[in-house]
Amino acid sequence: DTAVSQTPKYLVTQMGNDKSIKCEQNLGHDTMYWYKQDSKKFLKIMFSYNNKELIINETVPNRFSPKSPDKAHLNLHINSLELGDSAVYFCASSRSSGAVSNTIYFGEGSWLTVV
Amino acid sequence: QQQVKQSPQSLIVQKGGISIINCAYENTAFDYFPWYQQFPGKGPALLIAIRPDVSEKKEGRFTISFNKSAKQFSLHIMDSQPGDSATYFCAASGGTDKLIFGTGTRLQVFP
């Protein structure tokens, strides 16, 4: 009964390919996120959506395009993959974007390796 | 100044010992300071959090100490156990849900 689930868990792909990572949360939360964790474990926010509306868009190459079909889903599409895109991508959700102290719940991560 | 500086990068503690991880921030607008725990192959999970109106918060063996004037906060794990071995992240935010994470501390507790 996973709260934030993302697929695939592992993805190995060649440079130049396009790939998508899907995320779903069953917590009834309004806000969803994508975080990137690099090989040194640095965690950095990429995007935040509230009720399907883009709220936060960090300095991320426009090869990365999030899509939120509804508030329970936030997918990440990556075009023209590069070696430097290799990382663990975490989907997360929280109750709303208004209260700063809302707990953020993370999925288990999608391990992307670009070769 | 959006950074949150965390130290040490790694920590080795014997079972039963005290683990201490420190964080410092610059942005005085930050008003929420959570700690997240991440086990290998898993996503980070909230461990404990504090707001700057208190100087200490304790939950079981985990305590956050907060020094507002110094803009520092720390996590203390008392009676550290092998099951506490994980990567710990401090974080900070203010006004939005944009959590700024520290660089992480890999804790290893040996029996």
Side-chain angles (χ1 to χ4, degrees):
Chain A
D1 197 21
T2 309
V4 181
S5 58
Q6 48 185 114
T7 55
K9 188 169 176 72
Y10 300 101
L11 183 54
V12 181
T13 188
Q14 288 189 320
M15 278 174 54
N17 283 352
D18 303 339
K19 290 294 175 187
S20 292
I21 306 171
K22 294 186 176 182
C23 179
E24 176 182 4
Q25 54 94 4
N26 63 6
L27 296 166
H29 288 164
D30 292 327
T31 304
M32 295 186 72
Y33 313 81
W34 278 107
Y35 279 83
K36 179 180 179 180
Q37 187 170 48
D38 63 22
S39 58
K40 294 183 179 177
K41 296 280 194 182
F42 294 153
L43 257 177
K44 192 161 184 228
I45 190 168
M46 299 172 70
F47 303 102
S48 165
Y49 270 74
N50 181 258
N51 272 320
K52 303 193 298 175
E53 186 180 335
L54 182 65
I55 302 295
I56 295 173
N57 184 350
E58 289 295 289
T59 311
V60 176
N62 58 14
R63 298 182 294 104
F64 290 79
S65 53
K67 283 191 172 49
S68 181
D70 55 61
K71 73 174 192 177
H73 295 83
L74 180 61
N75 304 322
L76 183 66
H77 189 76
I78 314 170
N79 288 328
S80 303
L81 278 155
E82 300 177 356
L83 292 177
D85 297 333
S86 296
V88 185
Y89 292 86
F90 286 100
C91 178
S93 73
S94 67
R95 199 149 38 96
S96 75
S97 63
V100 68
S101 59
N102 283 326
T103 300
I104 295 180
Y105 294 83
F106 286 84
E108 295 206 335
S110 294
W111 299 65
L112 172 65
T113 302
V114 182
V115 297
Chain B
Q1 301 291 11
Q2 292 287 66
Q3 281 187 327
V4 178
K5 295 181 180 177
Q6 182 172 348
S7 62
Q9 190 174 356
S10 63
L11 183 58
I12 299 174
V13 173
Q14 212 159 15
K15 180 183 174 183
I18 302 173
S19 304
I20 302 174
I21 304 170
N22 301 299
C23 284
Y25 63 98
E26 288 294 325
N27 189 344
T28 54
F30 287 153
D31 60 0
Y32 174 62
F33 303 90
W35 284 87
Y36 278 75
Q37 179 187 53
Q38 184 180 22
F39 291 106
K42 302 292 185 182
L46 179 67
L47 183 64
I48 186 173
I50 197 169
R51 301 201 66 139
D53 50 348
V54 296
S55 59
E56 185 175 284
K57 183 172 181 181
K58 185 176 180 179
E59 289 183 3
R61 295 183 295 107
F62 300 90
T63 300
I64 300 179
S65 297
F66 186 84
N67 185 330
K68 189 174 180 178
S69 59
K71 291 184 282 187
Q72 295 175 347
F73 59 110
S74 59
L75 176 69
H76 291 65
I77 306 175
M78 311 300 288
D79 187 25
S80 299
Q81 299 296 311
D84 296 331
S85 298
T87 300
Y88 292 81
F89 293 92
C90 62
S93 68
T96 70
D97 278 329
K98 184 178 171 181
L99 265 183
I100 308 297
F101 283 89
T103 48
T105 296
R106 186 182 173 208
L107 171 65
Q108 295 173 273
V109 181
F110 285 96

